[in-house]
Amino acid sequence: MSEKWLETRVVENRHWTEALFSLRVEGAKLSFRAGQFVRIALDAVAGDAGSRVARPFSFVNPPADPVLEFYGIVVPQGPLSPRLEKLAAGDALYVAPRPAGFLVLSEVPDADTLWLMSTGTGIAPFLSILRTDVPWQRFSNVVLVHAVRHARELVYHDLIKDLKRQKSLRYVTFVSRESAPGSLAGRIPAAIRDERLEAAAGLRLGAQGSQVMLCGNPEMLADVAAALAERGMRKHRRRAPGHITVESFW
Ligand SMILES: Cc1cc2nc3c(=O)[nH]c(=O)nc-3n(C[C@H](O)[C@H](O)[C@H](O)COP(=O)(O)OP(=O)(O)OC[C@H]3O[C@@H](n4cnc5c(N)ncnc54)[C@H](O)[C@@H]3O)c2cc1C
Ligand SMILES: NC(=O)c1ccc[n+]([C@@H]2O[C@H](COP(=O)([O-])OP(=O)(O)OC[C@H]3O[C@@H](n4cnc5c(N)ncnc54)[C@H](OP(=O)(O)O)[C@@H]3O)[C@@H](O)[C@H]2O)c1
């Protein structure tokens, strides 16, 4: 079935590092819930609308914002991401008409503390969620965890600084491949096991009182879920309520 694409125009392509970029586009009215994604596409052959190369991308913008924002990394051999990184203001980007995805707060049971744990570009859907009123109304504490290889990949400083005006927000970062003052070393699962993550957040992480949303590298999702299982936490399902809601980026 051929997809009906909506044409948008790039407003800005911000480059954070040689590999990380944030695309802002306008021109498509989409209805979605914070945390969802949409397929975005370019012509497989320039000027040939008959075949497009498309990939899912999470919204960084909240649903109320008409300018759509996507945060990406260049996968050097990938068919789409190196081309997205090169887009400039005025270029066309196609978006699918129907966003989707279950990494949304309406799928997450109530709790005292909401933990949002991400690797790399997996922070994107959490930024959209945090730019709505819902997390602050529903949870006493919100912990945003971002794990990256290098300190320069800790992006969206201004937005996060702005979000920190919410007294209930804690922001915990991991830098795994260099030493970085102010960030935890290593990976999230090890820091759950040795309680460094809880110490950094100043909050308990457990089946009593915590809900966890995970996004990014699929191996991180599995390894964090295993570390949380040791604390009696399991995947949340509508028919079998639990504590962990996930979205894998590949
Ligand atoms: C539900 C969903 C939401 C997504 N949201 C985003 C998003 O907001 N931002 C984003 O950059 N990507 C996101 N992705 C991944 C995205 O769809 C593409 O896979 C990515 O942009 C690379 O595209 P590509 O065509 O260049 O290479 P692909 O052929 O798609 O990927 C090649 C390989 O690159 C690696 N890879 C893919 N995506 C990433 C990534 N994000 N970070 C590190 N390594 C990666 C994997 O090893 C993958 O097998 C999402 C994927 C899914 C399923
Ligand atoms: N110049 C470029 O074009 C360029 C530059 C950089 C990256 N890239 C592309 O981007 C890809 C990597 O993207 P990325 O760095 O955002 O993602 P990533 O490889 O998922 O790394 C992000 C963070 O997740 C951690 N992590 C990885 N596996 C984990 C696991 N099983 N459990 C817990 N944490 C885990 C990493 O720790 P570790 O460090 O310990 O693995 C790192 O801190 C590369 O494959 C490459 O294709 C391109």
Side-chain angles (χ1 to χ4, degrees), residues 37 55-58 71-73 75 78-82 121 124 247-250:
F37 63 86
R55 293 286 184 273
F57 268 74
S58 303
Y71 172 50
I73 188 163
V75 177
L80 188 63
S81 58
T121 52
E247 182 169 87
S248 176
F249 267 11
W250 65 91

Side-chain angles (χ1 to χ4, degrees), residues 95-122:
V95 303
R98 273 180 293 283
F102 296 99
L103 191 77
V104 292
L105 285 181
S106 53
E107 295 289 331
V108 175
D110 286 332
D112 289 337
T113 303
L114 175 67
W115 297 78
L116 306 173
M117 302 188 192
S118 58
T119 50
T121 52

Side-chain angles (χ1 to χ4, degrees), residues 115 143-147 170-174 184 196-197 200-201:
W115 297 78
V143 188
L144 175 63
V145 180
H146 192 200
R170 314 278 202 289
Y171 174 55
V172 179
T173 57
F174 284 78
L184 298 179
R196 277 181 300 134
L197 178 56

Side-chain angles (χ1 to χ4, degrees), residues 127-139:
L127 295 176
S128 180
I129 287 171
L130 293 175
R131 290 160 93 182
T132 69
D133 294 336
V134 184
W136 321 113
Q137 291 166 348
R138 280 191 55 199
F139 301 93

Side-chain angles (χ1 to χ4, degrees), residues 18-20 73-76 119-121 147-149 153 174-177 186-189 217 219-221 223-224 250:
E18 70 285 355
L20 295 173
I73 188 163
V74 176
V75 177
T119 50
T121 52
V148 296
R149 295 179 178 188
E153 294 155 359
F174 284 78
V175 173
S176 54
R177 300 200 183 185
R187 292 179 166 187
I188 300 170
N217 184 320
E219 289 170 14
M220 177 277 285
L221 305 184
D223 291 352
V224 169
W250 65 91

Side-chain angles (χ1 to χ4, degrees), residues 1 15-16 40 52 54 87 95-96 116 118 123 126-127 129 135 143 155-156 178 188 198 212 216 229 248:
M1 194 178 75
H15 291 80
W16 304 91
I40 66 177
R52 294 220 157 110
L87 292 178
V95 303
L116 306 173
S118 58
I123 193 173
F126 297 148
L127 295 176
I129 287 171
V143 188
V155 294
Y156 284 102
E178 64 188 359
I188 300 170
E198 288 170 297
V212 182
S248 176

